[in-house]
Each structure stands twice: as structure tokens, then as C-alpha cells.
Amino acid sequence: MRNHPIIGILGLLIKGIGRRKRGIEGGTVRNVFPKKPTSDIIAFMLAVFPGSFDPPTFGHLNIIERCSRLFDEIDVVISVNPDKKYLFSDEERFSMLKELTSVYGNVSVHICKTLISDYCRKVGAKVLLRGIRNTNDFSYEFDLSLINRSLNQQVETLFVPTEQRYFLIRSSSIKELARYGGDISAMVPPVVEKAIKEKYRAD
């Protein structure tokens, strides 16, 4: 019984605890236990969710809602590419997103006409959020994340899988359906659906 391995291990543990206690009491051991975090060292986490948002969809809002619970603050950034043709203007997309995200106290909407890596540097953000629907999305976004990383070493890209019910939502499909009078109510909020129909009615 004296040579039982469990008893031997317990004996070593008790001896170790005794040495640690004596060291602490004698002042010979420092930083034995980690200090409790203080408000001075808790990092403020700002994440950036960029996209064209042309139009804003339920898929976009789902990513925003989920990530708003993970980060202190989220900047939803409307990326503007002068070489790309949009259905909605920068201001129209801004207005819709502003209304749709008003329920989240830690989400703000911005327009960016520069590289998103430069925007992150300007606001001090270290996390880029990207929604992923499938492997094709991942392949494209992975390459893009490497480019952004090369432009700003402080930025990490976080891939957020799309919920299954939003798997088939694509801006191109929404616009095509709306153009021919299809039902898009399951893909976009009412305010967006109304704006899209007005666009095509005017055309």
C-alpha cells in the first residue's frame, strides 16, 4: 500500500503546495498566481464589417446581430468602388443600414472610399468580419484576407458562417428576382424590399 502510485502523486502535490506556501509567506516567491485583470488592461474590441450592401439583406443583418454580442463595437462599412455599378447610391445604402441597425447600441454605419485596410488603421480596428456561405466564398475571402493582412499587419479576418436559412441569399439573385416581379420578402427587410421595387418601377 505504501508504494501505491496514487499515494505517491498525492505526496508530491502536498509537498509542492507546502513549498509554495512557505515561499509566499517568506517573500521568496513572486507572481505565483496571476494578477486579476483590471479595467486598464482589458482591450476594447472594435470590429469592422465591410461590404457593398447593395442591397442590405437578412443575411447581412444576421451577421451584424450575432457579432454585436461578441464585440464592444462594430463599424458597418459601406465600401465604395468607383468602377462598380450599384443599384443604390452610397447615401441610400447608408440610410437603409442606419435604420436597420438602429436597434443595436454598439453598431454604427460608415462609408469608405479608401482601402478597407486603411480604414481599419485609421479607426484602430484589428478585426475584419466576413460572412461565409460556402467553399467558394471561403476561397475568395481567404485570398482577400491575405491581401488585407499584407497591407495592414494589425488586422485579422474573422470568417462567420452564414446561418442555413440565409444560405441562398445573394444580392444578384435578389435584384434579378425583383426585376421580374418575384417575391423577395424572405431575403430582405420590408424597407429594402420597398426601395428595390421603387427602383425597378422607375426604370
Side-chain angles (χ1 to χ4, degrees):
M1 192 70 179
R2 291 173 55 192
N3 297 324
H4 196 285
I6 297 298
I7 294 176
I9 292 171
L10 287 173
L12 290 173
L13 287 173
I14 292 170
K15 289 180 180 178
I17 292 171
R19 291 194 190 98
R20 178 178 291 182
K21 183 178 179 181
R22 287 193 299 273
I24 293 171
E25 291 173 347
T28 58
V29 178
R30 296 181 180 179
N31 299 326
V32 174
F33 302 105
K35 295 180 179 179
K36 292 182 179 180
T38 66
S39 58
D40 294 334
I41 61 174
I42 295 177
F44 176 84
M45 290 298 291
L46 166 64
V48 171
F49 182 34
S52 60
F53 302 105
D54 186 46
T57 69
F58 280 131
H60 294 140
L61 295 178
N62 178 253
I63 297 292
I64 293 169
E65 191 275 329
R66 288 158 60 195
C67 290
S68 70
R69 302 194 300 263
L70 302 177
F71 296 93
D72 297 301
E73 201 168 295
I74 295 177
D75 280 8
V76 177
V77 178
I78 301 167
S79 301
V80 178
N81 183 347
D83 298 324
K84 185 175 179 180
K85 185 178 180 180
Y86 297 102
L87 178 63
F88 293 103
S89 68
D90 311 345
E91 291 73 20
E92 288 172 325
R93 286 176 282 159
F94 177 87
S95 178
M96 285 188 286
L97 279 168
K98 191 79 173 175
E99 180 179 344
L100 294 169
T101 60
S102 62
V103 294
Y104 308 112
N106 61 337
V107 175
S108 56
V109 182
H110 308 267
I111 296 175
C112 176
K113 298 184 179 182
T114 63
L115 293 172
I116 197 64
S117 57
D118 290 339
Y119 177 89
C120 289
R121 185 180 293 108
K122 178 181 177 181
V123 300
K126 301 187 184 303
V127 178
L128 271 176
L129 301 172
R130 300 299 294 166
I132 299 294
R133 291 169 298 199
N134 50 41
T135 54
N136 290 333
D137 276 0
F138 178 78
S139 179
Y140 171 78
E141 294 294 347
F142 180 78
D143 290 346
L144 194 59
S145 73
L146 294 180
I147 295 173
N148 285 324
R149 177 71 174 171
S150 69
L151 295 172
N152 185 345
Q153 292 289 318
Q154 301 301 314
V155 172
E156 300 290 351
T157 300
L158 176 63
F159 301 121
V160 184
T162 302
E163 288 191 5
Q164 187 174 5
R165 54 183 167 160
Y166 304 121
F167 183 77
L168 297 177
I169 296 181
R170 289 173 172 80
S171 61
S172 57
S173 300
I174 292 170
K175 286 181 273 193
E176 186 173 356
L177 275 173
R179 182 181 289 112
Y180 294 103
D183 182 11
I184 58 173
S185 60
M187 300 179 177
V188 296
V191 64
V192 178
E193 180 183 11
K194 180 182 177 182
I196 293 175
K197 288 181 177 179
E198 289 176 351
K199 281 283 185 181
Y200 288 121
R201 192 179 297 121
D203 294 340

